[in-house]
Structures are given as C-alpha cells and as structure tokens.
C-alpha cells in the first residue's frame, strides 16, 4: 500500500469555484420520461413494491430544484473512493462519511470500514474524517497514533471553525447555534479553545447566564432552518448589544437553496416526500418546512418507506432530497409511485449549483 504522510499534513483546499447561476427560466422543465431507474438498476435495485398496482388517474410528480447531493458530500464520497483506489481496501472512516445508509453501504461494499472511535482503527491504517468535521482531540489522537489521515470535513464547516476561533481570539464569548449531539456541533465545540455556549432555541437564549454587557459572538451549524436561526439571532441581538456574527451566512449555500426550493415546491403540491436519512439534519429541516407550509410532508429513506395512503388522494406529489441523498433514491421513490399508477414527472425551475471543492492534495488527479 502506498504510504500517506502523517497528520496534520492533509490540506483542506479552498472552494475551487463558488458561483451559482440565478434562477432558471420561469417555465416548468419536464424531466426526461424514463420508465425505470437507470441508477437503481445499476445498483441492483428495482422499485420498492408498496402493494398491488391499482388503476387510478395519472399522478403528477414535481421535483424540487435543487435537491440532493451538495458539493461537500460529493467531495467526501470522492475522498473515500479515491483513497480506496489509491491505497487499496480497507480504509477506515470515522463516523458515517455522510448521513445516508445507501451511500455508506455502497462504500462498505468497496472496502471502507466505518467506526465511531479512532481506537477501532488498526495501527497504520488509512483513516478518513467525515464531512461533519471532528474535534481537535480527535485530530490530536490520530496524530499521536501516527495514523495517516485524510480529512473529508466540508470546507464550509472548516470555515465556521475558523470563524469561531477568530471571535474567541478577539476575547469574545462564543455562542454556537446548533443541535446538541449532532456530529458537526460536537466537532465545532471541540475545535475551539475556550468556553463555547450552545443554544438551540430562543428559550435557550433567554436562559443564558452571560451578562448583557459581555462581548459575545455567535456562529451557527451549517444545516439549520434559515427561519428558526433568524429568530434565535434576533433574540441574541436583543439581549447583547456588543455582539458580532455572520447573520445566517454560516448556513451553507446547499441548505439555503434546498430550503428555498422546498418552500417553492409547497405552493404546487398536495404532499411532499423528502428523500433522506432520519439522522440527516438538513433533510429533517426540509420536511419541517413542508409541514410548516401546511403540506403533509414525510421523510423517507427510499421507496420502500413510502406508505400508499400518503399519496392515494394526492393529485400532485412533490419530491425533494437532502444534501446527503443520492438521486438514485429519488428515482427509486418515483419507481415506487409508478407501481401505484401512471406518473408524470416534471422539475420546478430553480437555482443551478456549480460549486466544487478541491480534494486533499494527496488525492487530487495528476
Ligand atoms: S450541507 Fe453544506 S456544510 Fe454540509 S457538507 Fe453539504 S455543502 Fe458542506
């Protein structure tokens, strides 16, 4: 096996290109009419059956744009795949590389081994940190054991770490807006020296013990609800006059775009299916936004979790997908709907994303 340099030599590349086209033409684009899922077939999957096919009128299916994979997820998966090619299996991945069982199982089949603790990684084995980021203690443990590390932390998560460190260096008390226990939050809390206070709600802000004249700063988890976070930031600004922070800019482009798209989708459909994992923060936020708009909304991993009664009276079904859900699973859901009756698929116009992140130097082509 080729050798990797010792940590912390792996470099986190800056965004290679960060530009997005504005909204596409206002006409609805009709998606290619496929009778089956190429991706699902390639993966050896057929549509997930949900019951006897019964005659009913054609269902309209509208896909949100954008949906599914973001640049950070694409990069993280590519890091594992390239590491497997370059160094040979097994490679060890700390935590799910991204929150999606289909993705994790696909990488397992290629030779990746997923662990929760570095103590499970054998001496000298190639080790990959997940897209969510890790605490400094994990980086130090890997360095202490001289594990060859590739860091798949999303550059937008690293940006939040760096921003938090800068605020603390300015002598401010740092407040992290995020969900307790989420791996990204654990990583961010563990990256910043000095006290960091976690708040999850406006009630948490009201209960803060920090005195109002303290210089404070805040950063946020990248996958929060834009609307909820605005409320929490407003509550912080009411309580602290010496406060700085990024407003909602730490909520990443992919999260914001997918939330806008599902909000738009909610104007056109009777039910919303969000394809994503139960432990995927951004997928849960998409389901909540659909529900808050008054549309019955369900988070499903794939077509096998679709309950026919959710859609039996629906004329128009909206589908979106969280940032860690591959398109093959959206196609699986559509194929499952096809077992219930005729389906016409179209895609809402929406933002086109052209963001890519550089791979670590060791894995970059060339
Ligand atoms: S959701 Fe955003 S922060 Fe998370 S991996 Fe994707 S681009 Fe990065």
């Amino acid at each position: 096996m080729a050798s990797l340099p010792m940590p912390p030599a792996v470099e986190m590349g800056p965004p290679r290109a960060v530009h997005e086209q504005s909204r596409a033409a206002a006409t609805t684009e009709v998606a290619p009419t496929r009778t089956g899922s190429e991706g699902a077939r390639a993966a050896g999957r057929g549509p997930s059956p949900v019951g006897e096919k019964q005659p009913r009128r054609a269902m309209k299916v509208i896909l949100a744009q954008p949906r599914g994979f973001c640049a950070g997820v694409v990069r993280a998966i590519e890091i594992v795949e390239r590491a497997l090619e370059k160094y040979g299996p097994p490679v060890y991945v700390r935590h799910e590389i991204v929150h999606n069982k289909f993705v994790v199982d696909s990488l397992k089949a290629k030779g990746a081994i997923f662990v929760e603790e570095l103590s499970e990684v054998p001496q000298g084995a190639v080790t990959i940190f997940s897209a969510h980021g890790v605490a400094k203690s994990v980086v130090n443990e890997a360095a202490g054991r001289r594990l060859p590390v590739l860091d798949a932390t999303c550059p937008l998560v690293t940006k939040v770490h760096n921003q938090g460190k800068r605020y603390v260096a300015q002598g401010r008390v740092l407040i992290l807006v995020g969900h307790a226990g989420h791996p990204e939050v654990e990583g961010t809390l563990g990256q910043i020296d000095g006290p960091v206070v976690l708040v999850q709600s406006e009630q948490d802000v009201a209960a803060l013990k920090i005195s109002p004249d303290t210089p404070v700063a805040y950063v946020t988890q990248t996958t929060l609800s834009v609307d909820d976070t605005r409320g929490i930031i407003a509550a912080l600004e009411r309580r602290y006059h010496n406060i700085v922070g990024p407003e909602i800019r730490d909520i990443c482009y992919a999260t914001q775009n997918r939330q806008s798209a599902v909000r738009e989708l909610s104007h056109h459909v009777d039910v919303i299916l969000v394809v994503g994992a139960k432990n995927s923060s951004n997928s849960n936020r998409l389901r909540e936004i659909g529900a808050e708009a008054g549309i019955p909304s369900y988070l499903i991993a794939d077509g096998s979790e679709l309950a026919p009664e959710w859609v039996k009276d629906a004329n128009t079904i909206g589908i979106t997908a969280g940032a860690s859900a591959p398109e093959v699973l959206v196609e699986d859901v559509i194929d499952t709907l096809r077992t219930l009756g005729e389906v016409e698929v179209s895609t809402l116009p929406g933002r086109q994303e052209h963001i890519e992140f550089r791979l670590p130097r060791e894995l970059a082509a060339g």
Side-chain angles (χ1 to χ4, degrees):
M1 189 180 81
S3 63
L4 278 169
M6 292 299 111
V10 176
E11 198 175 69
M12 178 63 63
R16 185 157 56 206
V18 181
H19 56 94
E20 297 174 42
Q21 286 176 356
S22 56
R23 284 190 166 264
T27 52
T28 300
E29 307 159 356
V30 177
T33 50
R34 280 192 285 196
T35 53
S37 156
E38 290 165 13
R41 279 200 299 269
R45 298 162 60 93
S48 306
V50 292
E52 293 292 305
K53 182 169 179 171
Q54 294 176 8
R56 60 165 284 174
R57 65 191 174 286
M59 283 175 277
K60 290 199 170 89
V61 169
I62 303 182
L63 305 177
Q65 169 64 33
R67 64 183 179 279
F69 276 3
C70 61
V73 164
V74 169
R75 175 180 181 271
I77 294 170
E78 202 173 346
I79 286 173
V80 180
E81 288 179 336
R82 288 203 185 198
L84 284 165
E85 278 167 24
K86 183 167 180 181
Y87 306 111
V91 299
Y92 287 76
V93 185
R94 188 187 175 279
H95 194 67
E96 288 186 340
I97 186 75
V98 299
H99 283 158
N100 190 275
K101 184 174 184 305
F102 181 86
V103 170
V104 168
D105 286 348
S106 306
L107 294 172
K108 274 185 191 166
K110 294 177 183 173
I113 296 176
F114 290 83
V115 298
E116 284 306 310
E117 300 299 336
L118 289 186
S119 57
E120 301 168 58
V121 179
Q123 202 56 37
V126 174
T127 305
I128 300 172
F129 295 154
S130 79
H132 311 96
V134 295
K136 266 188 191 165
S137 58
V138 176
V139 176
N140 293 340
E141 185 185 349
R145 289 190 54 205
R146 300 181 64 76
L147 292 174
V149 168
L150 293 162
D151 191 352
T153 304
C154 178
L156 299 182
V157 174
T158 304
K159 188 183 108 192
V160 174
H161 295 170
N162 293 337
Q163 196 172 36
K165 289 172 191 170
R166 276 196 302 276
Y167 288 142
V168 168
Q170 292 166 8
R172 293 179 178 275
V173 172
L174 189 67
I175 296 165
L176 170 61
V177 184
H179 295 296
H182 189 278
E184 181 187 323
V185 166
E186 301 285 306
T188 304
L189 289 171
Q191 276 286 335
I192 293 158
D193 297 325
V196 186
V197 185
L198 180 66
V199 299
Q200 306 187 75
S201 63
E202 293 182 43
Q203 291 73 24
D204 285 356
V205 174
L208 282 173
K209 300 275 185 286
I210 309 163
S211 75
D213 52 355
T214 307
V216 300
Y218 65 86
V219 291
T220 82
Q221 190 179 335
T222 57
T223 49
L224 298 178
S225 151
V226 170
D227 292 339
D228 292 353
T229 307
R230 275 207 181 95
I232 294 171
I233 291 169
L236 284 169
E237 287 173 342
R238 282 195 297 274
R239 240 193 119 183
Y240 299 99
H241 57 88
N242 188 352
I243 183 167
V244 292
E247 298 179 358
I248 57 156
R249 284 190 296 274
D250 279 351
I251 299 176
C252 83
Y253 81 96
T255 301
Q256 297 206 30
N257 288 349
R258 279 150 193 71
Q259 289 182 8
S260 299
V262 80
R263 216 169 271 120
E264 176 63 29
L265 187 67
S266 69
H267 297 308
H268 303 274
V269 299
D270 305 312
V271 60
I272 291 177
L273 305 174
V274 179
V275 183
K278 301 281 184 288
N279 61 343
S280 160
S281 173
N282 77 86
S283 302
N284 278 289
R285 302 296 82 76
L286 295 177
R287 192 207 63 75
E288 286 167 7
I289 288 169
E292 282 162 15
I295 306 298
S297 301
Y298 304 95
L299 177 59
I300 53 176
D302 57 25
S304 70
E305 293 188 359
L306 172 65
E309 61 267 25
W310 296 341
V311 296
K312 74 178 170 35
D313 297 323
N315 292 320
T316 309
I317 299 160
I319 302 181
T320 186
S324 46
E327 187 66 8
V328 63
L329 299 181
V330 171
E331 292 168 359
D332 183 61
V333 172
I334 295 170
D335 285 346
T336 300
L337 289 169
R338 286 198 170 102
T339 69
L340 300 173
E342 203 181 324
V343 167
E344 293 167 7
V345 182
S346 62
T347 303
L348 276 186
R351 195 175 284 272
Q352 303 293 319
E353 295 172 341
H354 302 281
I355 292 175
E356 291 177 33
F357 297 130
R358 267 188 216 137
L359 291 171
R361 198 178 42 222
E362 292 82 351
L363 298 178

